[in-house]
Amino acid sequence: MQTELSKQLGVEHPLFGFTPFPAVAAAISRAGGLGVLGAVRYTAPDDLKRDLDWVEAHVEGRPYGLDVVMPAKKVEGVTEADVEAMIPEGHRQFVKDTLAEYGVPELADGEASGWRITGWMEQVARSQLDVAFDYPIKLLANALGSPPADVVRRAHDRGVLVAALAGSARHARKHQQAGIDIVVAQGYEAGGHTGEIGSLVLTPEVVDAVTPLPVLAAGGIGSGRQVAAALTLGAQGVWLGSIWLTTTEAELPSRALVRKLLAAGSGDTVRSRALTGKPARQLRTEWTDAWDDAGGPGTLPMPLQSLLVADAISRIQRYEVEPLLGTPVGQIVGRMNEERSVQAVVDDLTRGFERAVDRVNRIAGRSPQ
């Protein structure tokens, strides 16, 4: 399973695995794919340095990458405190009332929120890059459009390829014009922030729009058959995120959340603004239902919503309040029905790919190669 892009990056399989967990990223790279560590949760540069040190020590010399969240346009002089002050009191009260309804305890004195994501802020994201460019990363991916032009130049000066996610052919063309090297065509089925076009339609549209740039297909992919389909549609690889959440190397905050993922079907997710203020696919829970209810205050725009709910999410996770407990995940959750190692997932993908190619060869009247 080799494409021009996988050869360029020196990976055995064109499987690009996004994950917030260093152990999963390293395991993906060791298994022959390219592990991409999500940086958005790292608010302190030293924490990112610690985990990149760990990844570097455990990839056995294999390539890996980093995923950041950076807006293309910079807003000067805005601090986290400035943003906090924009949150209406009525929304704060709604959070308090919802948590009280389900009996969610307060965090212990001195216990900080573990879910306070500020990596979307310009200064935080740039501090992450200051750390990351000291490591031999091969790929820098941006989940919020094209990164600023100076970041693209800085990556290219270091021989690092730059990828950006796109939910439409129009977005993909903008990435191409911005000098991006790889476009990730992320379909409606994907976990996290995602658009409204299904991957079967989106992938060939993006491939045609940005040729000869390589395209990765994303959204609802979790089997070798789907990998084969993506490559048939013109992609040079696949971008996988949700499928790693139930691997044995993952570090989800609770066993209750693992159980919910294993029990969920493909129809048990919802595209909601409850988590960040932008539409993000996640497990449907009584928390998402509360925010999407017409009788509620409605969600705030990014980044206000993520700051508003940060402490609440940490409390829900800390005390495993199952009706409210969720996580970003794609519709592929319906296939995630057992815990497996990263290596087992990769083996399943590659074997399934081979079987799918053999089947197509037989249908076409050719002997398997």
Side-chain angles (χ1 to χ4, degrees):
M1 201 199 313
Q2 283 279 298
T3 65
E4 291 181 13
L5 182 59
S6 64
K7 293 174 183 176
Q8 182 180 359
L9 287 165
V11 294
E12 185 178 354
H13 311 300
L15 306 175
F16 295 73
F18 165 80
T19 175
F21 307 123
V24 175
I28 293 168
S29 291
R30 289 198 307 272
L34 193 138
V36 182
L37 179 65
V40 72
R41 67 190 179 97
Y42 293 97
T43 58
D46 286 347
D47 291 341
L48 179 58
K49 183 179 186 304
R50 177 201 63 215
D51 282 358
L52 285 176
D53 282 341
W54 192 94
V55 171
E56 178 67 20
H58 289 82
V59 293
E60 298 177 355
R62 305 291 183 91
Y64 60 94
L66 191 76
D67 179 276
V68 296
V69 178
M70 292 192 74
K73 296 181 180 179
K74 184 176 181 178
V75 179
E76 298 282 359
V78 177
T79 67
E80 183 178 341
D82 295 331
V83 177
E84 285 270 15
M86 301 177 190
I87 298 174
E89 185 55 37
H91 283 74
R92 294 187 188 278
Q93 189 61 49
F94 179 77
V95 171
K96 293 177 183 177
D97 292 345
T98 304
L99 295 178
E101 179 182 351
Y102 289 89
V104 183
E106 297 277 355
L107 295 175
D109 288 344
E111 185 175 356
S113 167
W115 199 85
R116 198 164 188 80
I117 294 176
T118 57
W120 48 264
M121 296 183 69
E122 176 80 13
Q123 65 269 32
V124 176
R126 287 186 177 275
S127 70
Q128 293 167 350
L129 294 176
D130 289 340
V131 171
F133 284 138
D134 286 336
Y135 292 82
I137 61 171
K138 297 296 184 183
L139 178 71
L140 176 67
N142 191 50
L144 198 64
S146 302
D150 68 294
V151 171
V152 176
R153 289 193 300 269
R154 192 176 174 191
H156 288 167
D157 288 346
R158 289 163 173 77
V160 177
L161 296 183
V162 180
L165 276 65
S168 70
R170 179 174 61 86
H171 292 155
R173 291 188 191 98
K174 288 184 176 180
H175 294 335
Q176 186 177 39
Q177 292 164 5
I180 301 304
D181 305 293
I182 302 166
V183 176
V184 181
Q186 181 170 276
Y188 173 80
E189 309 94 326
H193 296 128
T194 188
E196 299 180 347
I197 304 174
S199 56
L200 194 63
V201 172
L202 179 65
T203 301
E205 280 189 353
V206 171
V207 168
D208 291 346
V210 301
T211 298
L213 280 190
V215 172
L216 302 178
I221 299 173
S223 71
R225 284 175 290 173
Q226 292 168 305
V227 175
L231 299 187
T232 301
L233 293 171
Q236 289 202 30
V238 294
W239 180 269
L240 308 167
S242 298
I243 196 69
W244 314 112
L245 288 174
T246 52
T247 56
T248 53
E249 293 90 345
E251 303 161 22
L252 286 175
S254 74
R255 292 301 304 172
L257 182 54
V258 174
R259 290 194 296 271
K260 289 189 76 169
L261 287 169
L262 295 175
S266 57
D268 292 328
T269 69
V270 62
R271 192 166 163 268
S272 170
R273 298 177 185 267
L275 199 59
T276 68
K278 291 179 73 69
R281 186 170 298 284
Q282 54 203 279
L283 277 181
R284 182 175 182 176
T285 67
E286 293 184 33
W287 176 258
T288 61
D289 286 349
W291 281 104
D292 295 338
D293 190 284
T299 56
L300 297 171
M302 180 185 259
L304 301 181
Q305 183 72 15
S306 58
L307 286 176
L308 169 65
V309 304
D311 289 341
I313 298 297
S314 289
R315 289 165 60 185
I316 292 166
Q317 293 177 347
R318 170 70 176 79
Y319 298 107
E320 297 190 333
V321 184
E322 293 206 30
L324 305 179
L325 190 61
T327 185
V329 69
Q331 291 179 333
I332 196 62
V333 70
R335 293 183 63 90
M336 295 158 49
N337 50 24
E338 63 177 330
E339 291 183 81
R340 299 180 293 168
S341 69
V342 167
Q343 183 66 64
V345 172
V346 172
D347 288 345
D348 183 60
L349 291 169
T350 55
R351 285 195 295 262
F353 171 83
E354 291 172 355
R355 289 193 295 270
V357 171
D358 287 349
R359 180 173 183 271
V360 171
N361 278 329
R362 288 194 299 273
I363 292 171
R366 303 185 185 96
S367 299
Q369 298 298 314

